Amino acid sequence: MPNHESTEKTIVQRLINKTGNPLEWRWADKVLIFIGLQVVAFGPLLLFFCLAIRFPEILANCLNPSALTYVLKINISFFLLFGIYALFAFLLRKRSPNSKWLAYSFAVIISVHTFIFMAGIGYATNPITFLSILSHAIIGLLLFDIYLSLLILCTWGLMFVIQISGELFGLLEYAPYLIEPPFMDGKIDNYWLILNMGEGIFTVLVMFILSAYTINRWHKREAQVIELSDLLKKMFGRYLSVEVMNSLIENPSALELGGGRRKVTIMMTDLRGFTALSERLEPERVVQMLNSYFEIMVDVVFKYNGTIIEIIGDALLVIFGAPQEMPDRARRAVACAIDMQNAMVKANQENRARGLPEIEMGIGLNEAEVIVGNIGSSKRSKYAVVGRGVNMAGRIESYAVGGQILISESVKQKAGEVIRIDGQKEVMPKGAEAPLTIYEVGGIAGHYNLALEGRDPAPAALALQIPLRYTVLEGKDVGRKGVEGFIIKLSKNSAEIICSGPVEILANLKMNLGDVDEKLSTRDFYGKAIRLSEANTQTYVVRFTSVPPEVDGYLQALRKHAVKPGER
């Protein structure tokens, strides 16, 4: 047997798909609906009165025959006015489809028209009167807005005041269309009953259909919102904080394909020496270490409402200021970076508990205008950020050593004087047309009031210099291999090294120990020349970026047992 419910639903759905949702039509089209309802409601009454004039025997005993001609003239005038409004509505469908003056003025016209008719048959005698008020107001609210609905109620109220005042002063007659009450000796006039029942059923039916349709649409939209919320949680739940998620749920249009220009603060983080570290560990241990690290860092990012754009290996790309607007995005990003560096203590505690090596992170921040939004196809897309500012954030981060936060001039200007600058450098990033000044952040005052903790202690002077060979990996001297040098001071994470020649600041070095057994001398360790030492122009402070456990154990043993007297 055919499924009639399914067929009926299909027909209704086809009609909606073809004509669109009436509640979402343009105002000019909705005015045409309102005109149609008014004509359908009063058309049969006018037809009945015309027939009553021609055939008086069908006229209800309570109605005044002499008033019928007057009623017809008034209603014909209003129907002509309805025709004029319909013509205007058709003309405005293309020129000004959402014209409010047309809808508001027509609301006044139909309110006056309905009240005149209801006052003629007695606003207190006929229960349809107040039902008509309610139906007009509800239809106005469903099709248009609350203001049009209030306008209908106010017009009715004004007409009531005029009618009652006129009756009190003897200027107007109550129910002039009636010559006697429709209720006599406990009986009701049959024609009166049919007239009111028909009008009442029609009014209630229209209200029911519109209300049922609207409520059904609301239920469907509520289901769509729930589905969209679930989709958002699946797509963005691991990358956005609860606050940003709520913002997207309230404004789903932000998820549409496409992007827009937005000023954001971009954060790029990276683990120092992780590539070499991952080559020494089993893959399962590497994944375990990364998962533990990201678990801590993501919580910190969400704490400051950052948006995680991407996790690339051991690196994080985070933005502040999209999709949710953030006037204090630069300060928030700086505070987040400081909190993340301080949280590395917890990450390394967990690593030690699992027998994993300690790790260090460098962070770079840049403030720039970028293109941000959903990029891809309708089948596969992702929330992404594109622009030179992203590349610049990566360049700035590449100059940072473990535990360091470097920011651009734009971040410094945006954050203001609340941040503590511990140093600055002028660098020439790849692809840049002019030198770039970057600043090292040590803390932030004000609302966040944070400072970097656990800074590397001052290096201790060694009793004996440690010979080494180094290779410059970046800068003008790139490719110089096996150059001799000596470690003269040593701390947990850095050293002062006498070099055989000049080395560019922030150049990366690959080093090997000298005067040690072959197994230890072949182990490479890496560092970055961060500044010249105060001792002389050939001595550089080198921050270690990747040190194998064997080399680290050897160096730390020297630091503890081979320092000059009084330097421990």
Side-chain angles (χ1 to χ4, degrees):
M1 292 180 64
N3 190 333
H4 296 290
E5 183 179 353
S6 176
T7 305
E8 182 181 352
K9 183 178 180 181
T10 303
I11 293 173
V12 173
Q13 192 61 49
R14 285 178 181 176
L15 180 62
I16 293 175
N17 292 339
K18 186 176 181 180
T19 62
N21 179 12
L23 301 181
E24 297 172 356
W25 283 1
R26 296 168 298 184
W27 279 44
D29 294 327
K30 292 178 181 180
V31 168
L32 291 173
I33 292 180
F34 225 161
I35 293 173
L37 290 175
Q38 194 74 358
V39 170
V40 171
F42 285 89
L45 291 176
L46 295 183
L47 179 61
F48 172 76
F49 289 150
C50 289
L51 292 174
I53 294 175
R54 181 70 178 83
F55 306 102
E57 60 272 14
I58 68 171
L59 188 65
N61 295 328
C62 60
L63 291 176
N64 185 357
S66 61
L68 291 184
T69 304
Y70 174 72
V71 173
L72 284 174
K73 288 181 179 179
I74 291 178
N75 281 276
I76 289 172
S77 300
F78 273 104
F79 270 57
L80 289 174
L81 192 57
F82 295 163
I84 294 173
Y85 265 89
L87 180 61
F88 270 111
F90 275 112
L91 293 175
L92 292 174
R93 290 182 77 237
K94 292 184 178 180
R95 297 181 182 179
S96 182
N98 290 313
S99 175
K100 291 190 175 182
W101 70 263
L102 182 72
Y104 288 163
S105 59
F106 185 72
V108 174
I109 295 297
I110 62 169
S111 298
V112 173
H113 171 236
T114 307
F115 183 84
I116 289 176
F117 185 84
M118 294 303 172
I121 59 177
Y123 52 83
T125 310
N126 195 332
I128 301 299
T129 302
F130 297 100
L131 186 60
S132 298
I133 297 175
L134 183 62
S135 65
H136 280 83
I138 290 178
I139 293 172
L141 179 62
L142 294 178
L143 290 181
F144 299 95
D145 57 23
I146 184 65
Y147 301 107
L148 188 137
S149 181
L150 291 174
L151 181 61
I152 290 173
L153 293 175
C154 290
T155 304
W156 272 82
L158 179 62
M159 295 298 293
F160 267 120
V161 170
I162 294 173
Q163 176 68 26
I164 293 174
S165 300
E167 291 174 7
L168 290 175
F169 290 101
L171 301 176
L172 295 175
E173 182 183 354
Y174 176 79
Y177 300 169
L178 302 179
I179 55 176
E180 63 180 34
F183 312 100
M184 297 291 291
D185 300 326
K187 296 181 180 180
I188 185 171
D189 186 273
N190 290 331
Y191 288 110
W192 181 265
L193 178 63
I194 294 172
L195 179 68
N196 280 276
M197 285 291 292
E199 193 71 15
I201 290 173
F202 173 79
T203 303
V204 171
L205 187 62
V206 170
M207 290 174 59
F208 173 77
I209 291 174
L210 279 175
S211 300
Y213 180 79
T214 304
I215 292 172
N216 185 50
R217 294 286 299 184
W218 284 341
H219 285 322
K220 287 184 178 179
R221 288 190 177 184
E222 186 178 358
Q224 290 173 351
V225 168
I226 293 174
E227 290 178 5
L228 181 60
S229 299
D230 292 339
L231 178 63
L232 279 173
K233 291 173 183 177
K234 290 179 182 178
M235 290 176 61
F236 295 101
R238 297 183 179 181
Y239 307 100
L240 301 176
S241 65
V242 175
E243 290 79 3
V244 178
M245 280 285 294
N246 291 336
S247 173
L248 284 177
I249 291 172
E250 292 173 3
N251 182 24
S253 60
L255 293 174
E256 296 175 358
L257 279 178
R261 292 190 176 275
R262 183 80 70 87
K263 285 192 174 182
V264 298
T265 302
I266 307 153
M267 172 191 288
M268 185 75 78
T269 76
D270 191 47
L271 293 179
R272 292 295 168 256
F274 186 77
T275 302
L277 182 64
S278 62
E279 291 174 352
R280 299 197 305 267
L281 297 175
E282 295 179 356
E284 295 80 7
R285 302 281 279 171
V286 173
V287 172
Q288 183 185 23
M289 183 168 59
L290 280 177
N291 287 342
S292 175
Y293 160 73
F294 283 128
E295 191 73 31
I296 296 171
M297 294 302 118
V298 168
D299 284 345
V300 177
V301 171
F302 285 177
K303 177 181 175 182
Y304 294 89
N305 287 343
T307 300
I308 298 176
I309 296 297
E310 202 161 3
I311 296 176
I312 314 165
D314 61 310
L316 268 176
L317 174 59
V318 182
I319 61 172
F320 296 82
Q324 189 181 45
E325 289 282 356
M326 288 183 187
D328 63 336
R329 58 183 177 272
R331 295 184 181 184
R332 194 181 289 261
V334 170
C336 180
I338 296 172
D339 213 347
M340 290 172 72
Q341 288 290 18
N342 292 339
M344 289 299 294
V345 175
K346 180 181 178 182
N348 283 321
Q349 285 175 349
E350 293 186 1
N351 283 348
R352 287 193 296 271
R354 295 187 178 100
L356 295 168
E358 294 188 8
I359 52 178
E360 289 187 307
M361 173 179 61
I363 299 178
L365 298 176
N366 185 36
E367 168 85 9
E369 185 179 68
V370 296
I371 297 174
V372 61
N374 277 311
I375 299 174
S377 69
S378 57
K379 294 181 179 179
R380 183 176 177 85
S381 64
K382 72 172 185 175
Y383 196 73
V385 57
V386 179
R388 294 179 60 185
V390 181
N391 299 331
M392 187 57 66
R395 297 277 188 268
I396 294 170
E397 179 271 322
S398 69
Y399 292 113
V401 296
Q404 194 175 39
I405 302 168
L406 297 179
I407 65 172
S408 64
E409 178 70 33
S410 57
V411 175
K412 179 175 177 289
Q413 293 293 333
K414 181 68 177 175
E417 297 180 356
V418 295
I419 58 175
R420 189 187 84 205
I421 302 298
D422 289 351
Q424 67 181 68
K425 302 180 183 71
E426 194 173 83
V427 296
M428 191 70 179
K430 185 184 296 184
E433 298 177 356
L436 174 71
T437 302
I438 56 177
Y439 301 87
E440 181 179 357
V441 173
I444 183 170
H447 171 70
Y448 298 104
N449 196 26
L450 292 169
L452 288 176
E453 302 169 357
R455 305 300 291 269
D456 193 28
L462 300 175
L464 296 174
Q465 296 179 351
I466 303 174
L468 56 74
R469 297 182 307 278
Y470 66 89
T471 300
V472 180
L473 301 179
E474 291 179 353
K476 297 178 182 178
D477 300 317
V478 62
R480 288 177 58 191
K481 298 181 179 179
V483 183
E484 292 186 353
F486 297 91
I487 300 176
I488 60 173
K489 288 186 178 182
L490 191 62
S491 71
K492 186 176 186 300
N493 297 312
S494 62
E496 287 191 16
I497 300 176
I498 299 176
C499 297
S500 299
V503 176
E504 282 192 41
I505 301 301
L506 299 180
N508 288 309
L509 306 177
K510 182 177 77 170
M511 297 167 282
N512 299 90
L513 292 172
D515 291 344
V516 292
D517 61 72
E518 184 178 354
K519 183 178 180 181
L520 195 59
S521 66
T522 57
R523 299 309 301 263
D524 299 333
F525 63 103
Y526 298 84
K528 185 186 289 287
I530 58 176
R531 60 182 171 85
L532 277 168
S533 171
E534 298 176 357
N536 59 66
T537 56
Q538 293 294 105
T539 303
Y540 294 85
V541 176
V542 176
R543 184 65 156 76
F544 298 135
T545 56
S546 177
V547 183
E550 304 92 329
V551 176
D552 184 58
Y554 177 79
L555 292 177
Q556 297 313 315
L558 288 176
R559 185 171 71 91
K560 290 182 179 180
H561 304 292
V563 299
K564 290 181 179 180
E567 292 282 347
R568 291 189 182 182

